[in-house]
Amino acid sequence: MLKGDVLLSNFIANQSVHERFGGVVPELASRAHQQNIIPVVDQALKSAGVQVGDIGAVAFTRGPGLMGSLLVGVSFAKSFAMARGIPMVEVNHMQAHILAHFIRKPGENYPAPEFPFLCLTVSGGHTQLVLVKSPLEMEIIGETLDDAAGEAFDKSAKLLGLPYPGGPQVDQHAALGDASRFTFPHPQIPEYNFSFSGLKTSILYFLQKEQKKDADFIEKNIHDICAGIQWTIIEILLKKFKKAAREFKVKDIAIAGGVSANKGLRNAITRMGEENNWRVHIPPFEYCTDNAAMIAMAGSFKFAEGIFADQQIAPLARMPF
Ligand code: KG4
Ligand code: ZN
């Protein structure tokens, strides 16, 4: 729930149902959305101290994402908007991750990125370098050609026998490890694009080789293995980020998306900013992984411009900027 650009409430219904399957099961995700959506909206209203009749517009994610889950949100937004006679605003999930940098709670006033800025958006489904010219004008200048950075974390974690989602697990182990003990090759990809599928394969072969010599290799070295994997992912990301920030001569750089919660990445980008005289913007943890506040924030920029969606709108699993 947002009033202007001030956040009144932000609730997430966690979907622990996926844990035992080692990944998100789309059918279960949409069912959980259907069950959770009314209670979560109710909770957000109560916590914000807002009456249903006070709501001026409803923002919703049109895409990209899992179709079943998007359908639940889009249908809810349409019904809500129609019942209340209020406008609705469609939001692009990846743009919302970036615009999370503008969310402020009452009394908060730390500096927001200045336009144009360069944002590295890293999540479970996407890895993009985005030149952000204004809240409504963004250009993807590079992206992954295969796996996303979050997928690289999750798939590596799976190879190590760690539970889903693996990103936060790798992060925790890596904090206790030595990143220089095990190193993995970097891909040679042109321009500002990324690739992570080769990393997964090299980790798999590395583990198979080491486990032949010592069956307990993973258990004994989990911290150092995670530190090595995490450092490789961060280096792949930041090498392109640095090149792009120099090329586009931006003064502000930012990270967004689920993987921006990674402590190693947060530290590394802070250092990169200090070394190059760039102002670094790192979202608070609560706005890194998927959340409603970022959708409301992105919606409020369009609302201010009078850009609304109509009742015919349909979700898009893949959605361009
Ligand atoms: O943005 P997000 O919540 O959902 C998508 O839109 O995909 O991102 C989820 C991804 C998962 O791959 C998860 O493992 C990763 O973000 N993630 C992390 C961390 N926290 C979440 N990866 C590395 N370190 C973390 N601390
Ligand atoms: Zn996301």
Side-chain angles (χ1 to χ4, degrees):
M1 196 75 56
L2 212 68
K3 187 176 182 184
D5 60 356
V6 179
L7 183 70
L8 300 183
S9 63
N10 182 31
F11 283 96
I12 295 171
N14 283 314
Q15 295 200 357
S16 51
V17 60
H18 305 292
E19 267 162 35
R20 64 198 166 98
F21 297 101
V24 172
V25 184
E27 176 64 23
L28 296 182
S30 52
R31 286 188 211 183
H33 270 304
Q34 190 69 278
Q35 283 167 347
N36 291 333
I37 195 155
I38 303 270
V40 167
V41 170
D42 197 42
Q43 207 178 6
L45 279 165
K46 285 194 177 116
S47 153
V50 168
Q51 305 294 316
V52 175
D54 298 333
I55 295 178
V58 53
F60 63 95
T61 310
R62 186 179 186 193
L66 294 174
M67 183 47 85
S69 302
L70 295 170
L71 276 166
V72 174
V74 173
S75 306
F76 177 84
K78 286 186 187 182
S79 324
F80 193 83
M82 189 182 267
R84 301 303 317 163
I86 56 173
M88 46 182 192
V89 186
E90 65 165 291
V91 168
N92 178 303
H93 171 182
M94 300 316 294
Q95 292 185 333
H97 272 300
I98 297 172
L99 296 172
H101 281 283
F102 297 87
I103 304 168
R104 297 292 178 271
K105 288 185 183 148
E108 278 181 347
N109 60 356
Y110 54 93
E114 283 178 27
F115 301 104
F117 66 92
L118 196 64
C119 187
L120 173 69
T121 317
V122 269
S123 72
H126 293 79
T127 297
Q128 299 174 328
L129 261 178
V130 182
L131 185 62
V132 190
K133 299 169 193 169
S134 79
L136 303 180
E137 224 188 325
M138 304 186 191
E139 186 191 338
I140 299 170
I141 60 163
E143 61 192 325
T144 182
L145 304 179
D146 40 57
D147 291 352
E151 251 177 308
F153 271 105
D154 296 340
K155 287 181 178 173
S156 308
K158 204 167 188 173
L159 293 174
L160 296 169
L162 298 172
Y164 181 86
Q169 305 271 337
V170 173
D171 193 359
Q172 279 174 25
H173 286 295
L176 306 168
D178 172 1
S180 64
R181 253 191 86 207
F182 308 115
T183 54
F184 301 96
H186 291 196
Q188 298 302 320
I189 305 292
E191 297 167 358
Y192 302 120
N193 294 324
F194 307 95
S195 167
F196 290 102
S197 61
L199 175 64
K200 183 188 60 196
T201 315
S202 63
I203 294 169
L204 177 66
Y205 290 154
F206 164 76
L207 292 177
Q208 283 173 345
K209 196 180 88 200
E210 294 297 334
Q211 279 176 310
K212 264 190 207 144
K213 292 185 257 168
D214 178 0
D216 299 327
F217 175 76
I218 294 180
E219 230 168 60
K220 289 180 189 160
N221 297 286
I222 187 75
H223 299 326
D224 294 342
I225 302 170
C226 285
I229 294 171
Q230 177 168 299
W231 186 240
T232 307
I233 296 173
I234 293 171
E235 284 214 304
I236 293 171
L237 292 169
L238 293 194
K239 198 173 143 205
K240 295 296 175 83
F241 199 170
K242 195 199 281 187
K243 186 174 156 198
R246 286 187 176 154
E247 179 78 24
F248 287 89
K249 297 187 171 56
V250 291
K251 298 218 163 44
D252 291 56
I253 58 169
I255 48 173
V259 181
S260 63
N262 183 270
K263 288 189 281 303
L265 177 62
R266 294 165 87 93
N267 292 337
I269 194 162
T270 303
R271 274 200 307 278
M272 187 173 96
E274 284 164 3
E275 286 162 14
N276 292 277
N277 243 335
W278 294 321
R279 287 184 293 259
V280 177
H281 303 271
I282 297 172
F285 284 110
E286 59 197 304
Y287 311 138
C288 290
T289 42
D290 291 347
N291 63 87
M294 70 183 195
I295 305 301
M297 189 70 233
S300 84
F301 284 114
K302 283 192 170 171
F303 181 82
E305 299 291 325
I307 304 170
F308 303 126
D310 62 35
Q311 284 286 337
Q312 272 70 48
I313 198 160
L316 298 169
R318 299 167 134 263
M319 184 176 170
F321 271 20

